[in-house]
């Protein structure tokens, strides 16, 4: 089992999710929950594709931080 950071952003009328560790792995949904459900499927498909084509998994270097700006 692997764990990935997922970013969910509100767009114009829907929510978008993406995985910084897996470039190009994105999804969308009408709600944040739907976007998360869809990103789980996208992660599964992306990692299966990489494995099937013997493409190395990208390095997982992620930092989540909040910064304060005046």
């Amino acid at each position: 089992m692997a764990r990935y950071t997922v970013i969910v952003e509100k767009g114009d009328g829907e929510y978008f999710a993406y995985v910084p560790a897996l470039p190009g792995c994105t999804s969308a949904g009408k709600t944040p929950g739907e976007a998360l459900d869809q990103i789980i499927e996208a992660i599964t498909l992306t990692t299966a594709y990489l494995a099937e084509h013997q493409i190395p998994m990208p390095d997982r270097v992620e930092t989540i931080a909040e910064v304060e700006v005046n």
Side-chain angles (χ1 to χ4, degrees), residues 5 7 62-68:
T5 298
I7 308 298
E62 299 173 3
T63 301
I64 304 293
E66 290 186 19
V67 297
E68 221 173 275

Side-chain angles (χ1 to χ4, degrees), residues 44-61:
T44 301
L45 292 172
T46 299
T47 55
Y49 177 87
L50 294 173
E52 181 181 333
H53 292 87
Q54 299 178 351
I55 300 170
M57 291 290 292
D59 290 335
R60 292 183 55 193
V61 179

Side-chain angles (χ1 to χ4, degrees), residues 20-59:
L22 297 172
C25 186
T26 63
S27 72
K30 293 179 184 176
T31 65
E34 189 176 303
L36 288 172
D37 288 343
Q38 296 296 328
I39 200 67
I40 291 169
E41 182 177 349
I43 291 168
T44 301
L45 292 172
T46 299
T47 55
Y49 177 87
L50 294 173
E52 181 181 333
H53 292 87
Q54 299 178 351
I55 300 170
M57 291 290 292
D59 290 335

